[in-house]
Amino acid sequence: MRPSRASQTLLFLALCAFTVVNLTPIIWAFMTSIKLPVDAFSVPPKLIFTPTFEFHYQVWVEKQFWQFLINSAIIAVSVVCISVPIGTMAAFALSRMRGSGSRGILFGLLAMRMFPHILLAIPFFVLAQWLNLIDTFPAMIMALVAINQPFTIWMMRSFFMDVPLELDEAARIDGCNLWQVFYQVALPVVRPGLWITCLFSLLLAYNEFLFALVLTGPNTKTLPVAIAEYGAEDLNYWSLSAAAAIGIMLPIVLFMMALQRHLVRGLAFGAVKG
Amino acid sequence: MPGFDLDRRRALGVLGAAAATTALAGGTARAQAPVQMISHRFPALEFYAEKMRGAVEGVEVNTQLMPFDKANELATIGLSSKADTLDIVYANDTTVHKYAKNGWLMPLDDLWAKFSDEYDLADFPERALAPYRYEGKLYCVPHNVNVMLFFYRRDLFQEAGKQPPATMAEYVELAKEFNTPMRAGTIKCLKPIDATMNEVHWYLNTIGDGWFDQDWRPVFNSENGVKAIEALKEVTGYAQRGYATAANDECTLALQQDLAAMGLQWASRTAAMDDPTKSRVVDLIDWAAAPGGHTRTATDGYAISAFTKQDPELLFRILATSSSAANMREGAAMLVPPRDSVLRDPELVKQFRQYPGILAALETAVPTPPLPEFYEAGEFITRRILQAVAGEMEVKAALDAAAAETTQLLESRGYYR
Amino acid sequence: MQTQRGLWLFLVPSGLVISLVLLYPLGYAIYLSFFNYYLGGQPPTFIGFGNYVALFGDERFWGSIGKTVLIVAGAVGLEFVLGLAVAFGLYKLTFGVKPLNLLMFLPHIVTPVVAALFLRWIFTGRWGLLDAIIMSFNIFPPDWLGTPGWARFTVILADAWQFTPFMILVLYAGLNTVDNSQIESAQMDGAGNWTILTKIMVPAIKPLILFVLAIRIMDAFRFFDQIYVLTAGGPGTATETLTMYTYALAFRLLEIGKASALGVMTLLLSALTIGLLILVLYRRDKGAF
């Protein structure tokens, strides 16, 4: 049964309307970033104005945000490259295990995520300080990997739960050992889930603020910390924040655009269920 | 296809590992450790940070400026762990007592005496240094004085034939008179905690009996204190929309965008009123001491961490250099100099039209009580007052509750023995 | 069985990282909740459950629980309903899915610290965008951030704005894994969209739904940055959630012991909520979880 043209167009328009409303704060913030403060916060709001790119220029060139982008990139990529593989392995194990041991571990992981982060800031600082690792990349990377584990494991486990055990057994009969079952049989099936998990891990590491504030210093300062330095006290700071925030979205957007091919292509794997 | 994807992932993995290793290697090599400074951020402090960076030849100063709350968080985390990650710390008149009492700062009296001639430190009047004394010892080098003064629209006042108010009663009257739906009578900044404290300070000191008595017992819930908060509550009826979550930025914006006719704001915001890239009311705002006086004066300065591994003399030199008279003169447009020679300079009064108002306000201004637990008590007090203003509680009940909570807090910290 | 033992090996790398990095800070924070610890100098003194007892008698604590539950329920509920609806819409759409997907996800990418500022510029009284639009129709809008009821509504909206895209993406991925054959046979039996969605697709992706709801509830309990910038817990205490109170205790009052106790309470509350959720979702088939 093919959906009618009319209903498809209606659906598309509805979704477009939702998207536009959803994007309003971002569009408005972008416009704020190219206006002079007197126009940006004027009453009534100005839709016609002379644009200025001075704030974007200030952010990236004068305030040298490109340096912080490199720091953020190093940390985010490292976190994804470590966190996703080990989390996926653990998720595979937990999805295949029977018994209360695995359930206990799952709930333990969940419990770790439920504790307010602001209370972990001081112990983390003390630990990193004692190990002399403040303002180094490893400290930040390992902290984020650990914090990210519960989410990664839970997410990948959901995807692994959809891979039927029959597939595992068939592979075993064919002579595969456990690692081969994981790597060559189960993993390809959950590939879209893997990419989604990569995306969220990247986002978490890229946008993390509190631990970056505490664990990084001048040499490893990340973008969120840099942006947060301009929150208040002068109207120009608001325009700078807007310019910075819009600017730093770009790498993630580009990553997502590259990712989309994998997402949409792989999503039609309903054929696995037999 | 699977192989291709996995190769890409493997390549990414190698890249990630390589990045991590180089970072590890690079992070450990450091020669003369740079001086770490952390500070609040507003234009005057940015100016001083730049001066600190170039203060002493061959010494690198890493300045980290961020909004006050975050700077305070970071300072608290670092100093309470007795870490050596911070050398120079921003402190204002409210945080310095807390930091000093907790033993987080180094007393500066000896260094002050030693370098007094070299940097002409006698130029700082005792009035500028008093807020930074705890148990008699000095902990901070003042860099900027800030005071809340009265902003008002000269054009609107002239049109209505009015003079800026001299008493609180006049202020309330005028706020009511000037209040229209399109333009509020006055601004009120009642975002918890800091903004509310500033407003309440003015009311409590002008109408009320102040915050505490000599023994640190709360007096803000006295009869006059209740009257003060009731006046505050009344004035919010003539305030700009959104006053309950307005901090200094929103209030400044309201004035700049012609959304209010008058109100109390910081001296550091005066220059922005005449900046055409920020303000629609260029040259239309005038300044005076607040009606009834007794507004808050704050001092921004820098202290030395008690746990620093750097040479204290070097750190002091940096601070003394950045707070030189020449620097203060250079930045006079955006800051109010603590040094007498600069503050009393008649040239400044001629050059900057906000100075007469600032000097008038300084005459009657009052700093917040030098109680280390003041901000913590302020937590309770402002909450209760805001509940009263929002109509959740009666004013008297709210103030009594706040007094009880404050007394409990101070008792637990060893007061009233 | 050998397989089972082999599986434990898979847990080792992750387990190692977690125990080395996370266990000490977490353990220390929870350990501190049994102490009276003022960060300003005196060493901590052991008081057992003293902090917890104090919290139970603290009306501010109970107030913050109420507000937190309200905001979490409102936000997650809104996100789920909206997310499922939009995901289903995308699922049914036959063109333009990729660009829409990408655009809808943008709010989730914005750094939370600044997302709060963006929302502030929309919701602030008088010069915020929302107020300006409504006022141009000559209607006087309520004070979004300044009146208690509306402030809570705005906070819920703020959370939903940033996290509905998360729901949409994950649910959309999930909907796409549902077996086509089942859907086709239902359609041939004359089932409409609503029946297909509720009777076939939702049950099929139950583990995923549990996952997203659990994650969102947990995160909504810890929601901080936006509330801090938008209302700072105000007006009065209308939006003072558990996390705002925890922040005040930890960084303003420097009462680390009490703050840690509050953190543990937050943890227990989240766990309770999610436990209830699991009970409700898996009412009929407990073994499937």
Side-chain angles (χ1 to χ4, degrees):
Chain A
M1 180 186 104
R2 202 170 296 142
S4 71
R5 207 70 231 260
S7 70
Q8 276 289 303
T9 324
L10 218 63
L11 182 61
F12 184 68
L13 287 176
L15 288 173
C16 277
F18 173 77
T19 309
V20 169
V21 169
N22 214 16
L23 285 181
T24 310
I26 296 180
I27 299 174
W28 188 243
F30 174 67
M31 287 178 68
T32 303
S33 72
I34 53 175
K35 293 181 189 170
L36 286 173
V38 66
D39 293 328
F41 305 105
S42 75
V43 174
K46 282 208 182 157
L47 288 172
I48 307 178
F49 55 92
T50 33
T52 166
F53 283 90
E54 70 165 288
F55 293 111
H56 287 269
Y57 177 77
Q58 269 186 31
V59 163
W60 291 102
V61 180
E62 279 182 37
K63 314 278 182 199
Q64 302 189 310
F65 265 52
W66 58 268
Q67 269 178 337
F68 309 135
L69 177 62
I70 294 178
N71 291 340
S72 276
I74 293 177
I75 291 175
V77 170
S78 307
V79 167
V80 172
C81 293
I82 301 176
S83 172
V84 174
I86 67 177
T88 309
M89 281 167 59
F92 174 71
L94 288 172
S95 71
R96 262 82 187 112
M97 270 190 205
R98 302 279 160 261
S100 49
S102 72
R103 251 186 248 174
I105 294 178
L106 276 171
F107 279 113
L109 285 172
L110 222 56
M112 280 182 220
R113 202 189 155 78
M114 294 183 206
F115 199 70
H117 279 185
I118 49 182
L119 293 172
L120 293 176
I122 299 187
F124 259 102
F125 176 78
V126 168
L127 183 62
Q129 232 260 315
W130 182 65
L131 293 169
N132 228 352
L133 285 175
I134 297 281
D135 198 19
T136 60
F137 285 110
M140 187 66 190
I141 294 171
M142 290 326 284
L144 287 179
V145 167
I147 289 172
N148 196 18
Q149 282 304 289
F151 179 85
T152 305
I153 295 176
W154 263 85
M155 183 144 213
M156 286 313 299
R157 179 186 174 268
S158 311
F159 282 101
F160 275 124
M161 291 293 271
D162 280 344
V163 178
L165 285 169
E166 292 87 56
L167 228 62
D168 287 36
E169 280 157 23
R172 286 316 219 81
I173 294 172
D174 282 348
C176 290
N177 65 24
L178 203 53
W179 174 259
Q180 283 168 323
V181 174
F182 166 68
Y183 199 67
Q184 289 168 352
V185 178
L187 206 56
V189 171
V190 297
R191 209 174 341 115
L194 204 61
W195 283 112
I196 291 184
T197 309
C198 281
L199 174 68
F200 283 118
S201 300
L202 189 76
L203 215 48
L204 172 110
Y206 192 71
N207 279 338
E208 172 61 41
F209 172 70
L210 183 64
F211 289 105
L213 180 70
V214 167
L215 293 174
T216 64
N219 292 317
T220 55
K221 181 149 59 176
T222 58
L223 288 170
V225 177
I227 291 182
E229 291 183 354
Y230 293 96
E233 293 299 329
D234 188 62
L235 227 49
N236 276 356
Y237 296 162
W238 279 0
S239 302
L240 274 171
S241 299
I246 299 286
I248 73 170
M249 283 172 70
L250 259 111
I252 303 287
V253 173
L254 290 172
F255 180 78
M256 261 210 91
M257 280 167 52
L259 180 65
Q260 279 217 306
R261 293 183 289 122
H262 294 275
L263 254 187
V264 183
R265 194 195 332 152
L267 282 173
F269 67 82
V272 172
K273 295 222 165 142
Chain B
M1 269 150 293
F4 173 70
D5 284 352
L6 291 172
D7 275 337
R8 191 146 27 116
R9 280 190 58 229
R10 201 176 293 143
L12 264 173
V14 171
L15 192 68
T21 340
T22 38
L24 241 173
T28 42
R30 240 177 277 174
Q32 137 80 22
V35 171
Q36 307 289 356
M37 176 274 233
I38 180 175
S39 170
H40 180 27
R41 178 187 287 271
F42 64 89
L45 295 183
E46 284 182 319
F47 170 77
Y48 279 125
E50 203 196 310
K51 296 297 175 192
M52 279 194 216
R53 285 196 288 271
V56 178
E57 268 299 313
V59 176
E60 190 188 336
V61 181
N62 262 320
T63 57
Q64 256 193 307
L65 287 80
M66 59 191 74
F68 177 69
D69 285 330
K70 302 204 165 48
N72 188 36
E73 267 166 50
L74 212 51
T76 302
I77 293 177
L79 294 173
S80 67
S81 322
K82 302 190 172 41
D84 60 358
T85 46
L86 296 173
D87 301 308
I88 295 179
V89 181
Y90 166 83
N92 63 21
D93 48 302
T94 41
T95 53
V96 72
H97 297 104
K98 184 165 78 163
Y99 291 177
K101 182 176 180 181
N102 292 341
W104 295 348
L105 302 178
M106 188 183 286
L108 300 177
D109 300 274
D110 297 331
L111 290 163
W112 191 271
K114 182 170 179 183
F115 289 104
S116 182
D117 288 330
E118 193 177 335
Y119 293 100
D120 189 19
L121 297 178
D123 193 14
F124 287 96
E126 184 54 28
R127 182 184 23 91
L129 298 177
Y132 284 130
R133 290 197 189 277
Y134 177 71
E135 289 181 346
K137 298 196 205 145
L138 180 70
Y139 284 94
C140 230
V141 179
H143 279 61
N144 181 38
V145 174
N146 216 346
V147 63
M148 296 204 87
L149 64 160
F150 193 66
F151 288 50
Y152 68 97
R153 287 282 295 280
R154 188 197 333 116
D155 58 325
L156 297 176
F157 272 63
Q158 270 173 356
E159 214 181 293
K162 297 285 178 184
Q163 289 290 353
T167 66
M168 277 295 231
E170 282 175 39
Y171 166 62
V172 179
E173 271 306 305
L174 281 172
K176 189 170 178 186
E177 206 179 301
F178 279 108
N179 191 36
T180 66
M182 279 302 148
R183 185 195 299 118
T186 175
I187 52 170
K188 274 282 150 247
C189 312
L190 291 182
K191 187 172 185 185
I193 313 278
D194 187 60
T196 313
M197 298 270 263
N198 297 336
E199 292 270 4
V200 169
H201 185 77
W202 177 35
Y203 285 82
L204 282 182
N205 285 322
T206 317
I207 302 179
D209 299 319
W211 295 92
F212 298 96
D213 65 13
Q214 287 158 319
D215 302 314
W216 295 120
R217 293 207 177 267
V219 295
F220 49 79
N221 58 333
S222 67
E223 212 181 299
N224 286 332
V226 175
K227 274 197 222 145
I229 304 303
E230 283 183 350
L232 172 62
K233 187 170 174 180
E234 186 189 340
V235 173
T236 58
Y238 319 127
Q240 88 277 25
R241 273 167 49 73
Y243 65 83
T245 51
N248 294 327
D249 288 324
E250 287 79 11
C251 285
T252 311
L253 201 71
L255 286 171
Q256 285 170 331
Q257 293 288 337
D258 188 22
L259 298 175
M262 67 185 98
L264 206 68
Q265 254 308 313
W266 289 102
S268 50
R269 307 288 179 142
T270 51
M273 294 294 145
D274 287 341
D275 183 344
T277 65
K278 297 180 191 162
S279 166
R280 283 232 217 123
V281 295
V282 178
D283 258 345
L284 297 178
I285 299 241
D286 263 356
W287 298 280
H294 304 302
T295 53
R296 181 177 167 193
T297 171
T299 340
D300 302 296
Y302 290 94
I304 298 180
S305 157
F307 314 109
T308 177
K309 295 243 172 44
Q310 300 270 4
D311 174 21
E313 290 201 4
L314 170 67
L315 298 177
F316 191 82
R317 279 186 185 280
I318 296 176
L319 295 180
T321 312
S322 61
S323 62
S324 69
N327 284 342
M328 288 191 183
R329 216 166 248 122
E330 190 186 325
M334 61 184 111
L335 55 89
V336 179
R339 280 178 180 269
D340 252 349
S341 65
V342 189
L343 186 62
R344 305 287 166 200
D345 188 348
E347 284 300 313
L348 281 181
V349 177
K350 264 189 265 168
Q351 208 185 346
F352 301 110
R353 64 186 199 86
Q354 64 260 36
Y355 263 81
I358 293 177
L359 290 172
L362 277 173
E363 298 283 308
T364 55
V366 178
T368 49
L371 177 70
E373 289 78 10
F374 183 64
Y375 246 104
E376 299 168 40
E379 207 19 80
F380 304 128
I381 304 174
T382 48
R383 248 179 80 243
R384 291 298 179 190
I385 289 181
L386 289 173
Q387 282 184 305
V389 168
E392 280 173 44
M393 287 177 91
E394 282 299 314
V395 175
K396 173 125 183 71
L399 286 176
D400 286 336
E405 285 163 348
T406 309
T407 314
Q408 198 181 28
L409 171 74
L410 293 180
E411 254 166 17
S412 74
R413 295 293 163 77
Y415 288 80
Y416 315 139
R417 292 278 162 78
Chain C
M1 232 180 82
Q2 203 206 22
T3 324
Q4 290 296 303
R5 264 189 288 129
L7 285 174
W8 282 98
L9 276 177
F10 275 70
L11 288 176
V12 165
S14 181
L16 216 62
V17 171
I18 293 180
S19 18
L20 284 179
V21 179
L22 198 52
L23 239 44
Y24 164 70
L26 192 58
Y28 186 60
I30 297 180
Y31 171 73
L32 279 180
S33 71
F34 298 106
F35 286 77
N36 181 15
Y37 189 15
Y38 173 64
L39 208 55
Q42 298 114 4
T45 46
F46 183 72
I47 54 168
F49 283 98
N51 285 324
Y52 294 93
V53 172
L55 275 179
F56 276 115
D58 185 7
E59 51 125 341
R60 194 171 169 187
F61 167 64
W62 292 108
S64 65
I65 288 188
K67 286 152 205 151
T68 311
V69 169
L70 177 68
I71 291 176
V72 169
V76 179
L78 180 63
E79 284 159 24
F80 180 64
V81 169
L82 206 56
L84 192 60
V86 174
F88 190 54
L90 282 174
Y91 173 77
K92 290 240 111 190
L93 199 64
T94 49
F95 62 94
V97 175
K98 268 198 284 173
L100 274 179
N101 229 334
L102 182 62
L103 287 173
M104 279 193 219
F105 197 66
L106 287 183
H108 193 64
I109 301 180
V110 183
T111 311
V113 207
V114 197
L117 254 187
F118 289 6
L119 291 170
R120 207 182 157 78
W121 296 337
I122 305 283
F123 284 109
T124 302
R126 202 65 181 74
W127 49 266
L129 187 61
L130 191 58
D131 264 22
I133 294 179
I134 297 182
M135 273 171 108
S136 64
F137 292 109
N138 268 326
I139 317 169
F140 268 97
D143 191 354
W144 307 108
L145 297 174
T147 31
W150 283 111
R152 285 180 213 130
F153 173 73
T154 310
V155 166
I156 290 177
L157 223 60
D159 189 88
W161 180 70
Q162 262 225 299
F163 293 105
T164 308
F166 168 72
M167 279 277 186
I168 295 175
L169 192 69
V170 177
L171 287 176
Y172 176 64
L175 286 179
N176 273 301
T177 64
V178 176
D179 199 359
N180 259 320
S181 52
Q182 267 193 300
I183 300 176
E184 265 153 47
S185 58
Q187 278 176 336
M188 277 195 278
D189 286 346
N193 278 329
W194 178 256
T195 327
I196 295 181
L197 179 63
T198 49
K199 295 278 193 313
I200 300 180
M201 303 191 91
V202 167
I205 55 170
K206 240 204 256 198
L208 200 64
I209 290 185
L210 174 64
F211 166 73
V212 286
L213 285 178
I215 290 278
R216 281 309 312 142
I217 289 178
M218 275 189 273
D219 288 351
F221 263 98
R222 298 181 301 132
F223 195 40
F224 178 71
D225 283 310
Q226 276 88 331
I227 303 184
Y228 190 73
V229 172
L230 283 171
T231 60
T237 48
T239 55
E240 189 180 63
T241 57
L242 282 170
T243 324
M244 294 294 301
Y245 186 25
T246 311
Y247 178 83
L249 276 174
F251 286 101
R252 291 210 203 101
L253 297 167
L254 298 182
E255 293 280 356
I256 301 294
K258 211 161 170 209
S260 298
L262 193 55
V264 172
M265 293 301 301
T266 310
L267 193 159
L268 291 174
L269 253 131
S270 306
L272 191 69
T273 316
I274 296 178
L276 281 170
L277 182 70
I278 295 180
L279 261 159
V280 165
L281 271 185
Y282 282 87
R283 211 178 344 163
R284 262 162 269 159
D285 40 354
K286 292 231 177 86
F289 174 65

